[in-house]
């Protein structure tokens, strides 16, 4: 069986790796552009990225989280998978009122400021309250892509696919992120995110921080090597400009939260585009009207979290396993 995958980002590579493991003759077409994975912080937040109002998506995300430890173990090398956990934080009384509704729904016990600073001494004394989520982790998407590319060595072709008719294979998996719209006609739109990378000595922070600071959402993801990722804006825009306002807003919120971040080097400013869909849930399954094509795209804010489960579900579909009932909720033709 010959399978072509259009898109060499985390989703395409993870699907490719799973197919290779199942003995499939797989080729990945990669256009050489740095996709959303290059910008992504790599938060693995099964309940932290606002899917609670969509029951099926919440189940998919929870199942995705459960698969991560085995996925990371199977890759067997250093991909920055870190299970220290996440502190969700609220800075002001208004921030707390909004956050508390979510924390109550998830039955998370509120920690006092002193308990928070025991966990993270660098937090501002102005932080009102927070909760600890033991099952919200992180991975380094850039390392993950490098390792997956390694696993698929010899199977990745540098080529920009303009039309699926160019691809000669029995099955074509489209995992082209925002480019999926042009290839399939499906409603995938780019949602711009500006993300910063700071660099300092390791050890300033241990947890992923996910905070609301004066009404502004910010996350801070510390890596073991001293890199600290700060994100992200969410803008319905297609441009790739790093803006003064975007950087200012992110830095102001992050430094309010952790004042010592002001001393770090501002090492990188980047822009990525999340592949959004009308309901911001992914498109997983066969393309209506063309049985040769399977879509694995539209993961919006959750591409890294959803990569392992997407890879398993899509590889199963390709090789003819009994379809997982979860897939029915994410049919590409549902709109
Ligand atoms: N999941 C983080 C983001 O999309 O900004």
């Amino acid at each position: 069986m010959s399978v072509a995958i259009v898109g060499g980002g985390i989703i395409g590579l993870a699907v490719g790796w799973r197919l290779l493991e199942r003995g499939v003759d797989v080729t990945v077409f990669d256009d050489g552009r740095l996709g959303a994975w290059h910008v992504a912080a790599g938060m693995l937040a099964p309940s932290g990225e606002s899917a609670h109002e969509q029951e099926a998506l919440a189940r998919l995300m929870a199942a995705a989280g459960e698969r991560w430890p085995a996925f990371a173990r199977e890759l067997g090398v250093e991909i920055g998978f870190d299970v220290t956990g996440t502190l969700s934080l609220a800075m002001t009384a208004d921030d707390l009122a909004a956050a508390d509704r979510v924390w109550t729904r998830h039955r998370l016990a509120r920690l006092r400021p002193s308990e928070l600073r025991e966990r993270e001494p660098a937090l501002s004394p102005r932080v009102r309250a927070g909760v600890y989520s033991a099952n919200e982790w992180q991975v380094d998407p850039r390392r993950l892509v490098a390792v997956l590319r390694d696993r698929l060595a010899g199977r990745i072709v540098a080529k920009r696919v303009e039309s699926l008719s160019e691809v000669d294979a029995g099955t074509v998996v489209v995992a082209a992120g925002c480019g999926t719209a042009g290839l399939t006609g499906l409603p995938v739109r780019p949602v711009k995110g500006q993300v910063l990378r700071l660099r300092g000595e390791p050890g300033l922070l241990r947890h992923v921080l996910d905070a609301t600071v004066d009404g502004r959402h910010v996350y801070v993801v510390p890596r073991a090597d001293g890199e600290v990722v700060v994100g992200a804006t969410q803008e319905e825009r297609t441009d790739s400009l790093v803006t003064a306002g975007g950087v200012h807003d992110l830095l102001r919120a992050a430094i309010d939260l952790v004042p010592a971040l002001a001393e770090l080097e501002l090492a990188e400013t980047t822009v990525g585009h999340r592949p959004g869909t009308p309901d911001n849930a992914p498109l997983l399954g066969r393309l209506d009207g063309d049985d040769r094509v399977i879509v694995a795209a539209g993961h919006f804010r959750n591409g890294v979290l959803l990569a392992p489960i997407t890879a398993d579900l899509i590889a199963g579909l390709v090789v003819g396993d009994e379809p997982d009932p979860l897939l029915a909720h994410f049919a590409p033709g549902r709109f």
Side-chain angles (χ1 to χ4, degrees):
M1 182 193 296
S2 80
V3 175
I5 299 177
V6 181
I10 285 182
I11 300 291
L13 293 172
V15 172
W17 175 46
R18 285 305 195 209
L19 285 173
L20 201 59
E21 284 187 323
R22 298 190 69 166
V24 174
D25 175 17
V26 65
T27 304
V28 178
F29 292 104
D30 177 40
D31 66 7
R33 294 195 210 172
L34 297 173
W37 60 268
H38 184 73
V39 175
M43 285 190 301
L44 304 172
S47 55
E49 289 274 287
S50 70
H52 48 82
E53 68 283 4
Q54 291 179 57
E55 205 259 325
L57 180 56
R59 275 196 287 136
L60 184 73
M61 289 170 64
E66 283 163 17
R67 282 182 204 218
W68 252 99
F71 183 80
R73 212 169 32 245
E74 281 174 66
L75 282 174
V77 285
E78 182 48 49
I79 54 172
F81 180 59
D82 180 311
V83 296
T84 305
T86 293
L87 291 176
S88 298
L89 303 165
M91 188 68 121
T92 67
D94 286 346
D95 296 334
L96 178 55
D100 212 26
R101 284 193 287 277
V102 179
W103 299 343
T104 304
R105 188 166 47 235
H106 291 299
R107 296 193 180 82
L108 293 163
R110 215 204 267 185
L111 301 177
R112 287 189 304 276
S114 59
E115 293 172 306
L116 292 171
R117 274 194 303 283
E118 253 166 53
R119 284 186 172 272
E120 286 295 1
L123 279 180
S124 162
R126 288 179 50 226
V127 175
R128 289 254 172 168
V131 294
Y132 170 64
S133 300
N135 63 347
E136 309 241 316
W137 308 314
Q138 65 152 305
V139 68
D140 185 334
R142 294 180 181 180
R143 290 188 190 200
L144 175 59
V145 163
V147 170
L148 286 170
R149 283 181 151 271
D150 208 46
R151 293 301 164 96
L152 285 155
R155 304 245 166 207
I156 303 176
V157 174
K159 175 180 164 65
R160 180 175 165 75
V161 173
E162 305 277 358
S163 157
L164 297 184
S165 60
E166 293 167 28
V167 182
D168 179 22
T171 300
V172 182
V173 177
V174 181
C178 296
T180 301
L183 291 165
T184 62
L186 290 168
V188 181
R189 72 187 196 288
V191 182
K192 178 180 173 182
Q194 302 186 47
V195 174
L196 315 176
R197 279 171 167 76
L198 313 181
R199 225 159 267 150
E201 291 299 317
L204 176 65
L205 295 165
R206 292 189 310 123
H207 301 75
V208 172
L209 308 179
D210 188 32
T212 314
V213 180
D214 289 318
R216 202 171 290 285
H217 178 232
V218 67
Y219 51 77
V220 175
V221 181
R223 307 262 195 248
D225 65 0
E227 179 178 87
V228 179
V229 186
V230 177
T233 65
Q234 182 168 315
E235 306 163 67
E236 295 285 340
R237 297 179 65 94
T238 56
D239 67 78
S240 295
L241 289 182
V242 176
T243 64
V247 174
H248 173 258
D249 288 349
L250 291 172
L251 284 181
R252 187 174 58 183
I255 292 169
D256 277 356
L257 193 66
V258 181
L261 290 177
E263 305 303 323
L264 271 55
E265 176 193 0
L266 175 55
E268 259 189 63
T269 56
T270 48
V271 172
H273 293 93
R274 309 171 182 94
T277 65
D279 60 5
N280 287 329
L283 309 173
L284 307 172
R286 286 195 194 275
L287 186 65
D288 285 350
D290 190 348
D291 250 12
R292 189 177 75 114
V293 178
I294 293 176
V295 181
H299 292 75
F300 191 43
R301 295 183 66 103
N302 298 302
V304 185
L305 170 70
L306 293 175
I309 196 162
T310 298
D312 291 342
L313 292 173
I314 298 298
L317 203 56
V318 170
V319 301
D321 290 351
E322 184 71 27
D324 189 306
L326 251 183
L327 275 173
H329 300 277
F330 304 105
R334 68 183 177 277
F335 302 111

